[in-house]
Amino acid sequence: MHSDAKPVAMWLEACADTGSGLYQRLREAYGDEPETVAEKADQLAAAIAGFVRLFGEHAPVIAIRAPGRVNLLGMHIDHRGGAVNPIAVNELLLIAQPRDDDVVVLRNMQEQFGPRQFAIGELLPPDPIDDWDRWTQAEYERRKEAGLAGDWANYVKAPLVYLQHLQQAESGEPSQRLRGFNGLVTSTIGIAAGLSSSSALVVATILAAAAINNLTYTSEDLVELCGVAEWYVGTRGGAGDHAAILLSRQGCLSHLGNHPLTVESVPFPSDYDIVVCDSLKQAQKTAGARDAFNARVAAYEFGLALLKQNYPDRAPAMQRLRDVSPACLGISEAEIMRMIRSLPERITRSELLQLLPDERASLERIFSTHNEPAGGYKVRQVCLYGIAECLRSELGPELLVSGDIDGFGRLMTISHDGDRVTRLANGRRVPFSTDTS
């Protein structure tokens, strides 16, 4: 059994002993503030006690901590190769008790998330999955028809299914059958608040599964695995959130490059605080929200394909959207703007198929991830934002290091303009213009 699995009594004793190794780990995560560290130890003890009430204490348990995150700069560009600049916030705890079979029994201390149980092996098809992208999309459509697309357990299933998929031999038989666990989830991350509570559950699950099944991965490996695994829930994002959860350091902003993954911990000025406020509005991952997200990802894909077609001499240097920059292409900002102007403000699927006939198979696969937006895809607007955001995300850490907090704040404001609906004018709310004509 993995060395991190300990009897319940040992966990509770460590939570009460300020000189324990557990307390040292908590200080490394939260800083040397006694009240904060004691609060986190009490939260862990409460989660252990809750687990005992539900499952008993007959076997050792593993305790996994996974924070949420706030991305300060670099919004929705990790899947375009751009960098993100997150900080870690409150955390999710997963208490897991290894089982001898592949069954996962889940309980959640938040009442809106009911009990769940499933067998890992039964989630996979009898034959090996030859295309994870296509299979996960088909599975999502099946769950949507059954009314199960938004079920919270999908974020536990996602990494377990993907890990078991990776263990399958060509014969279809797994080279290793994953063991399941009895698990209790508790969290202080805001739900549906844009703080990556769902990705924290994905990360906590994959850490528990790796420990229980003696699978060895680096943190960088886990970032990539989590990013691809989460396709199971229906979205087609990147791995920036998982990287923030796994790699953030106390007191630092994480500057995370993508494709390949790079990590730079940038000390945040100690005389400034970041305040996270609850707007009392929830960002539910409904079918409509998932459609909107995947449609934006699609607009990025279409925009880059059209830029390559419009500028074939520059196409080899434009592997990802982040490459559409003065530094990468060796051209002026004015020329970058001319390239963006070559993109259509809106374009329909039929028009895309006419303009990109050689890309039909790729286009139709992307189409399958969402419904077509009314009026077509806003390719120019989306790409203008993404190209500029890739550049802002690189400038941000430089401003922090130089002490220019006002400059960093201005970049954050511009970044948020990409999602803004209204603005304040003379004390009144008026529509925010995103015109790119």
Side-chain angles (χ1 to χ4, degrees), residues 147-180:
L148 300 172
D151 189 75
W152 75 275
N154 290 333
Y155 292 94
V156 177
K157 293 176 180 179
L160 297 176
V161 171
Y162 189 56
L163 285 179
Q164 188 63 84
H165 157 64
L166 295 178
Q167 306 301 319
Q168 280 190 309
E170 291 184 4
S171 64
E173 290 296 316
S175 56
Q176 176 182 351
R177 293 186 184 276
L178 297 185
R179 295 170 61 192

Side-chain angles (χ1 to χ4, degrees), residues 1-6 11 25 60-64 211:
M1 187 170 294
H2 194 275
S3 60
D4 279 353
K6 301 179 179 67
W11 278 110
R25 294 280 294 276
V61 299
I62 292 169
I64 302 292

Side-chain angles (χ1 to χ4, degrees), residues 22 31 63 116 119 141 155 159 224 232 257 314 386 402 430:
L22 170 65
R116 298 290 186 269
E141 294 297 333
Y155 292 94
E224 182 177 352
Y232 179 84
R314 295 172 188 162
S402 69
V430 299

Side-chain angles (χ1 to χ4, degrees), residues 311-322:
Y311 297 89
D313 56 322
R314 295 172 188 162
M318 294 190 291
Q319 296 303 305
R320 293 184 168 84
L321 193 75
R322 67 167 181 214

